[in-house]
């Protein structure tokens, strides 16, 4: 081993030299840019931070002095803002420790960790957010905890520099804090009196202390849902006005949201128009009186998309930006409790106010159906009231089941449109289960109404309810039926002859999902190459084919059946087939469209040819 290798080996085995730790250097302007463009949704949050600091300071002082004054005053003019509070204040040591250290919070020190639930601020960002609109922040404070300590002034600029100095007692004779903001270029609009008053009322209307902008009151307590009213009707009117002021609509109804265990009080307003279940609702959430967010999406269960909420809570956790809620077990429990409150409101309507329930369901039946699918109690309560499209009109399943021994239903709107007119004429009751959740709820009917028979309606069932024709009549029309079947056989459709009402319907096209699947498979097989054609051919099913049911009672069908020309019979049959598809409002395949064009032109040629011979 050479000397160099030996030295290297000894060095690797010797203890490492201790390294001196270094502190991060923070670019304040870069951090402010991060806050304004990524953490906060709008510069307006600066005022929430100022109000929050003031309210927390008052709360801290009152913890030791219950009778201490509780005032917050805001004064805005000429691109500057002054915020005064009668809170606990700061000493010079507090200023160096708290205001000059990013991320540090007074709520984390001085034995207040256990009492943090009394404070709005939890993250220690504090005044830093004010740099979003200000280029200079000046804080003058005097401590209530240390009465002998002189007032202290802290002045900071957005370049990251700050100064601290003590002041004469005469500059701040009473405990508390005053914050002065000087607007940064282009941000003066955020410090105008009108904007400050609007933001202060938006954020702080439910704060527990006396907050004013100049002489204008900001707080408006008690909250509308906690006030006393001369009558329930007067309360509904007042809450409706409150809803219109907040959300811009007059609600169908209001639902009290009182969950004392979770520290939640508020109200849910029922939307007056239907909305998509996929649309995320935005709710207003106040945290200990301070507006946290106007767009809380995870506050209610997904099925409760028909309400908009405003509430105050002291238990939910905000995210770092304090503009949304932290998803945890507490929020999940509150969501479940609020969902139960809305469910109880629906149950009470069903029991005691059917008119209001009917008005609600006429707009929001889809949301209730969604809830009933997963909630057995709600299914039992609401199913008798939910409206469904049926051959007897728009009825509840309870009414429909009382009229028909068997509740037939279809799984698609197309199937319902095929059979509804004919089934109704034959006395067969059918429910359209093609809309969202409807077929699932119809199938659940026996759970709520024991003994009810529910059956899916298919082509065979409809055909079985149609009257057959005499055997000798069908035998006499064998040639006509053979020509008609030959014409439609390439389309995968059979032809049958029946007698049914209404007489005005010449033909009925019937199929089911299995027949449509087989038809789609056959079409794909025709267009595929040899390999895929062989694979698709092996998947051929034994499903019944679609059928065109001709109405022997219809005068037009009788005249067509008397024709002797097979070609003309084929053209007429194609016309009846196309007309039956259109009546059922079925989407037309390319082959169906070609058939309709061919039949139409064929009939025109036949009609004009006959006219020419007469001349």
């Amino acid at each position: 081993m050479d000397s160099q290798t030996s030295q290297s080996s000894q060095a690797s085995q010797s203890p490492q030299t201790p390294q001196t730790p270094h502190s991060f250097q923070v670019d304040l302007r870069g951090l402010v840019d991060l806050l304004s463009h990524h953490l906060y949704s709008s510069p307006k949050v600066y005022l929430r931070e100022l109000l929050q600091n003031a309210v927390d300071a008052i709360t801290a002082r009152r913890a030791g002095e219950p009778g201490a004054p509780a005032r917050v005053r805001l004064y805005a003019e000429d691109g500057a803002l002054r915020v005064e509070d009668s809170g606990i204040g700061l000493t010079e040591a507090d200023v160096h420790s708290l205001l000059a250290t990013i991320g540090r919070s007074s709520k984390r020190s001085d034995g207040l960790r256990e009492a943090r639930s009394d404070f709005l601020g939890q993250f220690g960002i504090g005044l830093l957010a004010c740099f979003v609109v200000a280029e200079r922040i000046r804080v003058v404070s005097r401590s209530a905890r240390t009465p002998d300590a002189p007032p202290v002034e802290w002045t900071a600029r957005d370049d990251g520099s700050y100064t601290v100095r003590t002041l004469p007692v005469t500059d701040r004779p009473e405990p508390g804090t005053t914050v002065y903001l000087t607007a940064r270029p282009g941000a003066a609009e955020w410090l105008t009196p009108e904007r400050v008053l609007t933001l202060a009322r938006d954020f702080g209307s439910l704060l527990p202390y006396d907050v004013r902008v100049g002489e204008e009151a900001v707080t408006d307590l008690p909250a509308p849902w906690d006030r006393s009213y001369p009558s329930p009707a007067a309360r509904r009117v007042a809450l409706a006005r409150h809803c219109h002021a907040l959300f811009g609509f007059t609600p169908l109804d209001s639902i009290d949201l009182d969950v004392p265990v979770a520290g939640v009080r508020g109200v849910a307003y029922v939307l007056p128009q239907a909305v998509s279940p996929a649309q995320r609702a935005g709710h207003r959430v106040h945290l200990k009186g301070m507006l946290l967010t106007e767009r809380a999406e995870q506050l209610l269960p997904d099925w409760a998309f028909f309400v908009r909420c405003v509430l105050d809570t002291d238990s939910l956790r905000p995210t770092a930006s304090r503009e949304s809620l932290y998803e945890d077990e507490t929020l999940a429990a509150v969501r479940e409790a609020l969902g139960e409150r809305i469910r109880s409101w629906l149950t009470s309507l069903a029991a005691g106010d059917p008119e209001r329930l009917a008005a609600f369901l006429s707009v929001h039946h889809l949301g209730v159906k969604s809830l009933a699918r997963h909630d057995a109690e709600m299914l039992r309560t609401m199913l008798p009231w939910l409206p469904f499209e049926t051959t007897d009109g728009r009825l509840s399943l309870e009414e429909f089941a009382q009229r028909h021994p068997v509740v037939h239903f279809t799984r698609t709107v197309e199937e319902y449109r095929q059979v509804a007119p004919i089934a109704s004429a034959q006395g067969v009751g059918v429910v359209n289960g093609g809309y969202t959740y409807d077929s699932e709820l119809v199938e659940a009917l026996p759970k709520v109404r024991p003994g009810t028979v529910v059956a899916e309606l298919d082509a065979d069932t409809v055909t079985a309810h149609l009257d057959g024709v005499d055997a000798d009549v069908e035998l006499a029309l064998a040639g006509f039926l053979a020509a008609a079947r030959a014409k439609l056989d390439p389309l995968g459709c059979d032809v049958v002859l029946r007698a049914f009402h209404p007489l005005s319907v010449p033909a009925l096209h019937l199929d089911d999902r299995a027949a449509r699947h087989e038809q789609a498979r056959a079409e794909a097989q025709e267009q595929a190459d040899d390999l895929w054609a062989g694979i698709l051919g092996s998947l051929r099913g034994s499903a019944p084919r679609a059928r065109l049911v001709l109405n022997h009672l219809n005068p037009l069908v009788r005249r067509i059946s008397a024709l002797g020309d097979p070609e003309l019979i084929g053209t007429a049959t194609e016309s009846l087939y196309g007309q039956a598809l259109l009546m059922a409002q079925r989407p037309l395949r390319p082959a169906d469209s070609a058939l309709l064009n061919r039949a139409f032109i064929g009939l025109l040629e036949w009609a004009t040819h006959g006219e020419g011979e007469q001349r």
Side-chain angles (χ1 to χ4, degrees):
M1 179 182 299
D2 58 35
S3 61
Q4 184 176 359
T5 304
S6 175
Q7 293 173 0
S8 176
S9 175
Q10 292 174 1
S12 64
Q13 294 176 4
S14 63
Q16 293 185 355
T17 303
Q19 296 182 354
T20 303
H22 298 278
S23 298
F24 283 104
Q25 299 299 312
V26 177
D27 179 0
L28 187 58
R29 285 178 175 168
L31 189 55
V32 169
D33 181 73
L34 179 67
L35 290 174
S36 61
H37 291 93
H38 300 282
L39 184 63
Y40 295 129
S41 63
S42 167
K44 69 181 182 180
V45 297
Y46 87 91
L47 193 66
R48 184 192 63 198
E49 297 294 335
L50 289 173
L51 288 176
Q52 175 180 287
N53 287 342
V55 170
D56 284 346
I58 294 172
T59 301
R61 183 177 180 184
R62 283 202 157 190
E65 301 178 55
R71 299 186 304 271
V72 180
R73 297 291 184 267
L74 298 92
Y75 304 94
E77 58 180 339
D78 299 328
L81 176 66
R82 183 173 88 254
V83 181
E84 301 176 354
D85 70 66
S86 58
I88 196 165
L90 301 171
T91 64
E92 183 176 357
D94 294 332
V95 167
H96 285 289
S97 174
L98 303 176
L99 296 187
T101 304
I102 294 173
R104 180 70 62 85
S105 171
S106 62
K107 274 77 79 175
R108 294 195 176 110
S109 60
D110 299 325
L112 292 178
R113 184 181 301 275
E114 294 79 9
R116 285 180 67 198
S117 61
D118 294 332
F119 297 95
L120 300 174
Q122 302 287 317
F123 296 93
I125 295 176
L127 289 175
L128 187 62
C130 294
F131 280 118
V132 173
V133 299
E135 66 176 0
R136 186 167 70 98
I137 302 174
R138 177 171 169 252
V139 178
V140 176
S141 186
R142 182 175 182 183
S143 175
R145 288 181 183 165
T146 313
D148 295 336
V152 60
E153 178 191 71
W154 176 82
T155 304
R157 295 184 177 276
D158 60 1
D159 60 3
S161 64
Y162 72 93
T163 60
V164 179
R165 67 187 180 108
T166 58
L167 301 175
V169 174
T170 54
D171 285 6
R172 181 82 200 193
E174 299 294 331
T177 301
T178 302
V179 179
Y180 302 84
L181 299 187
T182 302
R184 65 191 306 151
E189 61 173 311
W190 292 102
L191 303 184
T192 62
E194 297 78 11
R195 178 64 66 88
V196 169
L197 178 60
T198 299
L199 294 179
R201 284 177 171 169
D202 197 34
F203 284 119
S205 62
L206 301 184
L207 289 174
Y209 305 132
D210 179 16
V211 181
R212 296 176 182 272
V213 176
E215 299 300 322
E216 298 287 341
V218 169
T219 52
D220 186 18
L221 295 176
W225 51 84
D226 285 331
R227 296 173 188 169
S228 298
Y229 297 95
S231 67
R235 187 175 190 272
R236 281 198 296 270
V237 170
L239 290 179
R241 286 199 298 264
H242 178 246
C243 175
H244 195 275
L246 285 183
F247 298 113
F249 66 84
T250 301
L252 286 178
D253 206 349
S254 57
I255 309 168
D256 286 325
L257 302 178
D258 185 7
V259 187
V261 174
V264 171
R265 287 282 297 162
V267 62
Y269 293 116
V270 182
L271 290 165
Q273 70 280 336
V275 294
S276 168
Q279 180 177 333
R280 303 299 297 178
H283 308 291
R284 288 176 64 94
V285 177
H286 295 255
L287 180 61
K288 303 179 184 69
M290 182 74 73
L291 179 66
L292 182 71
T293 178
E294 300 174 279
R295 300 183 301 276
E297 296 182 349
Q298 67 273 49
L299 187 65
L300 295 181
D302 290 341
W303 55 260
F305 56 83
F306 48 83
V307 298
R308 296 291 181 269
C309 296
V310 54
L311 55 83
D312 189 23
T313 175
D314 59 15
S315 63
L316 299 179
R317 292 173 57 194
T319 59
S321 67
R322 290 190 287 278
E323 293 187 300
S324 59
L325 298 173
Y326 187 81
E327 185 68 49
D328 57 9
E329 293 181 357
T330 302
L331 179 57
V334 168
R335 181 163 50 235
E336 182 177 350
L338 295 180
E340 180 59 35
R341 186 64 194 88
I342 296 174
R343 185 186 291 108
S344 298
W345 170 77
L346 288 170
T347 304
S348 65
L349 284 188
D353 201 339
E355 291 185 1
R356 286 171 67 196
L357 177 63
F360 166 75
L361 290 178
S362 66
V363 178
H364 296 297
H365 56 274
L366 191 60
V368 179
K369 287 179 179 180
S370 173
L371 172 60
R373 291 165 58 234
H374 305 292
D375 189 308
E377 182 61 32
M378 186 56 59
L379 180 68
R380 286 189 293 271
T381 302
M382 301 305 300
L383 197 55
W385 301 94
L386 292 172
F388 290 80
E389 182 180 357
T390 77
T391 49
D392 292 353
R394 197 162 181 80
L395 299 174
S396 69
L397 291 183
E398 177 68 26
E399 294 176 281
F400 189 80
Q402 291 175 0
R403 300 184 184 187
H404 299 279
V406 178
V407 178
H408 289 99
F409 73 97
T410 63
R411 291 193 182 275
T412 67
V413 175
E414 291 78 11
E415 290 173 357
Y416 178 80
R417 289 170 177 168
Q418 287 182 63
V419 302
I422 308 305
S424 179
Q426 309 308 309
V428 179
V430 184
V431 178
N432 183 358
Y435 296 115
T436 306
Y437 312 131
D438 282 9
S439 61
E440 298 174 66
L441 294 175
V442 175
E443 290 180 297
L445 183 59
K447 298 178 183 178
V448 179
R449 199 174 188 273
T452 303
V453 179
V454 174
E456 183 176 356
L457 189 68
D458 54 22
D460 289 334
T461 304
V462 176
T463 305
H465 280 83
L466 303 180
D467 296 332
V469 297
D470 294 339
D472 56 343
V473 173
E474 189 162 0
L475 182 61
L477 297 177
F480 160 72
L481 292 175
R485 287 166 180 157
K487 199 65 175 178
L488 296 186
D489 183 69
L491 297 173
C493 183
D494 292 331
V495 177
V496 297
L497 189 65
R498 293 290 187 272
F500 56 87
H501 292 274
L503 301 180
S504 58
V505 178
L508 177 66
H509 182 271
L510 294 177
D511 64 1
D512 53 27
R513 283 174 295 161
R516 288 196 292 273
H517 290 164
E518 174 59 22
Q519 190 176 62
R521 185 209 60 79
E523 291 177 355
Q525 180 181 352
E526 291 179 1
Q527 299 174 5
D529 56 28
D530 293 341
L531 174 60
W532 282 109
I535 294 175
L536 292 171
S538 67
L539 299 176
R540 182 174 183 178
S542 58
R545 305 204 314 168
R547 66 200 69 175
L548 181 68
V549 183
L550 300 179
N551 187 2
H552 186 59
L553 299 180
N554 181 268
L556 177 60
V557 172
R558 285 178 176 269
R559 289 196 295 270
I560 293 174
S561 64
L563 296 173
D565 185 351
E567 183 176 349
L568 187 55
I569 290 175
T571 300
T573 302
E574 288 181 330
S575 299
L576 291 175
Y577 173 83
Q579 190 260 355
L581 287 180
L582 294 175
M583 281 186 58
Q585 302 182 43
R586 288 283 305 280
L588 298 180
R589 301 169 297 164
D592 297 330
S593 299
L595 175 145
L596 281 171
N597 290 332
R598 184 171 62 249
F600 179 70
I601 293 174
L603 290 176
L604 285 179
E605 288 179 348
W606 177 79
T608 55
H609 179 71
E611 183 68 20
E613 286 185 344
Q614 290 178 8
R615 290 181 181 178

mmCIF file of all heavy atoms in Angstrom, residues 545-566:
data_model
loop_
_atom_site.group_PDB
_atom_site.id
_atom_site.type_symbol
_atom_site.label_atom_id
_atom_site.label_comp_id
_atom_site.label_asym_id
_atom_site.label_seq_id
_atom_site.Cartn_x
_atom_site.Cartn_y
_atom_site.Cartn_z
ATOM 1 N N ARG A 545 -84.876 -11.615 -32.577
ATOM 2 C CA ARG A 545 -84.652 -10.475 -33.461
ATOM 3 C C ARG A 545 -85.711 -9.410 -33.208
ATOM 4 O O ARG A 545 -86.733 -9.643 -32.572
ATOM 5 C CB ARG A 545 -84.709 -10.947 -34.905
ATOM 6 C CG ARG A 545 -83.747 -12.091 -35.170
ATOM 7 C CD ARG A 545 -83.341 -12.211 -36.611
ATOM 8 N NE ARG A 545 -84.398 -12.114 -37.593
ATOM 9 C CZ ARG A 545 -84.179 -11.971 -38.902
ATOM 10 N NH1 ARG A 545 -82.932 -11.902 -39.342
ATOM 11 N NH2 ARG A 545 -85.163 -11.909 -39.761
ATOM 12 N N ALA A 546 -85.412 -8.207 -33.703
ATOM 13 C CA ALA A 546 -86.424 -7.152 -33.657
ATOM 14 C C ALA A 546 -87.612 -7.572 -34.499
ATOM 15 O O ALA A 546 -87.507 -8.441 -35.373
ATOM 16 C CB ALA A 546 -85.823 -5.845 -34.183
ATOM 17 N N ARG A 547 -88.752 -6.995 -34.228
ATOM 18 C CA ARG A 547 -89.943 -7.358 -35.004
ATOM 19 C C ARG A 547 -90.761 -6.117 -35.317
ATOM 20 O O ARG A 547 -90.814 -5.172 -34.521
ATOM 21 C CB ARG A 547 -90.782 -8.385 -34.245
ATOM 22 C CG ARG A 547 -91.407 -7.888 -32.957
ATOM 23 C CD ARG A 547 -91.784 -9.007 -32.046
ATOM 24 N NE ARG A 547 -90.607 -9.672 -31.503
ATOM 25 C CZ ARG A 547 -90.672 -10.643 -30.590
ATOM 26 N NH1 ARG A 547 -91.841 -11.066 -30.147
ATOM 27 N NH2 ARG A 547 -89.576 -11.195 -30.132
ATOM 28 N N LEU A 548 -91.383 -6.161 -36.492
ATOM 29 C CA LEU A 548 -92.318 -5.128 -36.908
ATOM 30 C C LEU A 548 -93.707 -5.721 -36.770
ATOM 31 O O LEU A 548 -94.073 -6.666 -37.479
ATOM 32 C CB LEU A 548 -92.064 -4.700 -38.355
ATOM 33 C CG LEU A 548 -92.984 -3.591 -38.878
ATOM 34 C CD1 LEU A 548 -92.692 -2.270 -38.176
ATOM 35 C CD2 LEU A 548 -92.842 -3.420 -40.394
ATOM 36 N N VAL A 549 -94.489 -5.190 -35.824
ATOM 37 C CA VAL A 549 -95.834 -5.698 -35.561
ATOM 38 C C VAL A 549 -96.817 -4.863 -36.374
ATOM 39 O O VAL A 549 -96.990 -3.662 -36.114
ATOM 40 C CB VAL A 549 -96.167 -5.631 -34.059
ATOM 41 C CG1 VAL A 549 -97.544 -6.238 -33.802
ATOM 42 C CG2 VAL A 549 -95.108 -6.333 -33.238
ATOM 43 N N LEU A 550 -97.459 -5.495 -37.369
ATOM 44 C CA LEU A 550 -98.446 -4.804 -38.210
ATOM 45 C C LEU A 550 -99.816 -4.889 -37.553
ATOM 46 O O LEU A 550 -100.217 -5.944 -37.050
ATOM 47 C CB LEU A 550 -98.478 -5.436 -39.595
ATOM 48 C CG LEU A 550 -97.151 -5.399 -40.378
ATOM 49 C CD1 LEU A 550 -97.312 -6.092 -41.722
ATOM 50 C CD2 LEU A 550 -96.676 -3.965 -40.569
ATOM 51 N N ASN A 551 -100.519 -3.779 -37.556
ATOM 52 C CA ASN A 551 -101.837 -3.697 -36.919
ATOM 53 C C ASN A 551 -102.916 -4.024 -37.950
ATOM 54 O O ASN A 551 -103.218 -3.212 -38.830
ATOM 55 C CB ASN A 551 -102.041 -2.294 -36.345
ATOM 56 C CG ASN A 551 -103.319 -2.181 -35.524
ATOM 57 O OD1 ASN A 551 -104.043 -3.161 -35.343
ATOM 58 N ND2 ASN A 551 -103.592 -0.978 -35.033
ATOM 59 N N HIS A 552 -103.521 -5.216 -37.824
ATOM 60 C CA HIS A 552 -104.543 -5.642 -38.798
ATOM 61 C C HIS A 552 -105.798 -4.785 -38.723
ATOM 62 O O HIS A 552 -106.602 -4.761 -39.680
ATOM 63 C CB HIS A 552 -104.889 -7.116 -38.558
ATOM 64 C CG HIS A 552 -105.804 -7.690 -39.587
ATOM 65 N ND1 HIS A 552 -105.502 -7.718 -40.928
ATOM 66 C CD2 HIS A 552 -107.050 -8.252 -39.468
ATOM 67 C CE1 HIS A 552 -106.489 -8.275 -41.607
ATOM 68 N NE2 HIS A 552 -107.449 -8.617 -40.736
ATOM 69 N N LEU A 553 -105.980 -4.066 -37.615
ATOM 70 C CA LEU A 553 -107.167 -3.217 -37.487
ATOM 71 C C LEU A 553 -106.990 -1.881 -38.206
ATOM 72 O O LEU A 553 -107.965 -1.161 -38.412
ATOM 73 C CB LEU A 553 -107.459 -2.945 -35.996
ATOM 74 C CG LEU A 553 -107.743 -4.176 -35.121
ATOM 75 C CD1 LEU A 553 -108.019 -3.745 -33.686
ATOM 76 C CD2 LEU A 553 -108.919 -4.967 -35.678
ATOM 77 N N ASN A 554 -105.779 -1.557 -38.613
ATOM 78 C CA ASN A 554 -105.518 -0.286 -39.275
ATOM 79 C C ASN A 554 -105.914 -0.354 -40.750
ATOM 80 O O ASN A 554 -105.503 -1.278 -41.459
ATOM 81 C CB ASN A 554 -104.036 0.055 -39.153
ATOM 82 C CG ASN A 554 -103.676 1.378 -39.789
ATOM 83 O OD1 ASN A 554 -103.315 1.408 -40.955
ATOM 84 N ND2 ASN A 554 -103.796 2.467 -39.041
ATOM 85 N N PRO A 555 -106.710 0.613 -41.254
ATOM 86 C CA PRO A 555 -107.169 0.556 -42.659
ATOM 87 C C PRO A 555 -106.012 0.545 -43.664
ATOM 88 O O PRO A 555 -106.086 -0.144 -44.689
ATOM 89 C CB PRO A 555 -108.019 1.817 -42.795
ATOM 90 C CG PRO A 555 -108.455 2.152 -41.399
ATOM 91 C CD PRO A 555 -107.336 1.733 -40.518
ATOM 92 N N LEU A 556 -104.944 1.278 -43.387
ATOM 93 C CA LEU A 556 -103.828 1.322 -44.321
ATOM 94 C C LEU A 556 -103.167 -0.053 -44.444
ATOM 95 O O LEU A 556 -102.835 -0.500 -45.548
ATOM 96 C CB LEU A 556 -102.805 2.363 -43.854
ATOM 97 C CG LEU A 556 -101.526 2.473 -44.694
ATOM 98 C CD1 LEU A 556 -101.858 2.849 -46.133
ATOM 99 C CD2 LEU A 556 -100.563 3.472 -44.066
ATOM 100 N N VAL A 557 -102.974 -0.725 -43.317
ATOM 101 C CA VAL A 557 -102.374 -2.062 -43.355
ATOM 102 C C VAL A 557 -103.266 -3.020 -44.140
ATOM 103 O O VAL A 557 -102.784 -3.878 -44.900
ATOM 104 C CB VAL A 557 -102.117 -2.577 -41.925
ATOM 105 C CG1 VAL A 557 -101.669 -4.043 -41.944
ATOM 106 C CG2 VAL A 557 -101.073 -1.712 -41.235
ATOM 107 N N ARG A 558 -104.582 -2.903 -43.966
ATOM 108 C CA ARG A 558 -105.498 -3.770 -44.713
ATOM 109 C C ARG A 558 -105.365 -3.551 -46.217
ATOM 110 O O ARG A 558 -105.360 -4.506 -47.008
ATOM 111 C CB ARG A 558 -106.947 -3.502 -44.277
ATOM 112 C CG ARG A 558 -107.294 -4.084 -42.896
ATOM 113 C CD ARG A 558 -108.734 -3.724 -42.526
ATOM 114 N NE ARG A 558 -109.130 -4.329 -41.286
ATOM 115 C CZ ARG A 558 -109.720 -5.523 -41.175
ATOM 116 N NH1 ARG A 558 -109.957 -6.255 -42.263
ATOM 117 N NH2 ARG A 558 -110.066 -5.999 -39.994
ATOM 118 N N ARG A 559 -105.235 -2.262 -46.630
ATOM 119 C CA ARG A 559 -105.095 -1.995 -48.061
ATOM 120 C C ARG A 559 -103.766 -2.519 -48.597
ATOM 121 O O ARG A 559 -103.688 -3.065 -49.703
ATOM 122 C CB ARG A 559 -105.230 -0.494 -48.324
ATOM 123 C CG ARG A 559 -106.649 0.035 -48.139
ATOM 124 C CD ARG A 559 -106.827 1.406 -48.779
ATOM 125 N NE ARG A 559 -106.012 2.421 -48.111
ATOM 126 C CZ ARG A 559 -106.435 3.148 -47.077
ATOM 127 N NH1 ARG A 559 -107.650 2.949 -46.583
ATOM 128 N NH2 ARG A 559 -105.648 4.049 -46.534
ATOM 129 N N ILE A 560 -102.693 -2.342 -47.823
ATOM 130 C CA ILE A 560 -101.387 -2.835 -48.271
ATOM 131 C C ILE A 560 -101.398 -4.352 -48.381
ATOM 132 O O ILE A 560 -100.828 -4.937 -49.322
ATOM 133 C CB ILE A 560 -100.282 -2.358 -47.292
ATOM 134 C CG1 ILE A 560 -100.122 -0.842 -47.376
ATOM 135 C CG2 ILE A 560 -98.949 -3.044 -47.588
ATOM 136 C CD1 ILE A 560 -99.159 -0.273 -46.359
ATOM 137 N N SER A 561 -102.054 -5.019 -47.402
ATOM 138 C CA SER A 561 -102.082 -6.492 -47.427
ATOM 139 C C SER A 561 -102.865 -7.033 -48.624
ATOM 140 O O SER A 561 -102.711 -8.204 -48.989
ATOM 141 C CB SER A 561 -102.681 -7.024 -46.122
ATOM 142 O OG SER A 561 -104.045 -6.630 -45.997
ATOM 143 N N ALA A 562 -103.712 -6.179 -49.235
ATOM 144 C CA ALA A 562 -104.492 -6.623 -50.395
ATOM 145 C C ALA A 562 -103.747 -6.428 -51.705
ATOM 146 O O ALA A 562 -104.243 -6.812 -52.774
ATOM 147 C CB ALA A 562 -105.825 -5.867 -50.440
ATOM 148 N N LEU A 563 -102.568 -5.815 -51.670
ATOM 149 C CA LEU A 563 -101.800 -5.610 -52.901
ATOM 150 C C LEU A 563 -101.308 -6.946 -53.452
ATOM 151 O O LEU A 563 -100.984 -7.872 -52.704
ATOM 152 C CB LEU A 563 -100.602 -4.689 -52.632
ATOM 153 C CG LEU A 563 -100.932 -3.245 -52.203
ATOM 154 C CD1 LEU A 563 -99.651 -2.511 -51.815
ATOM 155 C CD2 LEU A 563 -101.641 -2.505 -53.335
ATOM 156 N N GLY A 564 -101.218 -7.010 -54.761
ATOM 157 C CA GLY A 564 -100.750 -8.252 -55.383
ATOM 158 C C GLY A 564 -99.328 -8.178 -55.892
ATOM 159 O O GLY A 564 -98.735 -9.206 -56.236
ATOM 160 N N ASP A 565 -98.758 -6.973 -55.967
ATOM 161 C CA ASP A 565 -97.412 -6.785 -56.492
ATOM 162 C C ASP A 565 -96.396 -6.947 -55.361
ATOM 163 O O ASP A 565 -96.328 -6.115 -54.448
ATOM 164 C CB ASP A 565 -97.299 -5.386 -57.103
ATOM 165 C CG ASP A 565 -95.946 -5.152 -57.778
ATOM 166 O OD1 ASP A 565 -95.043 -5.997 -57.617
ATOM 167 O OD2 ASP A 565 -95.804 -4.114 -58.443
ATOM 168 N N PRO A 566 -95.548 -8.025 -55.378
ATOM 169 C CA PRO A 566 -94.573 -8.232 -54.296
ATOM 170 C C PRO A 566 -93.610 -7.059 -54.116
ATOM 171 O O PRO A 566 -93.226 -6.721 -53.005
ATOM 172 C CB PRO A 566 -93.835 -9.502 -54.718
ATOM 173 C CG PRO A 566 -94.777 -10.197 -55.639
ATOM 174 C CD PRO A 566 -95.523 -9.119 -56.356
#
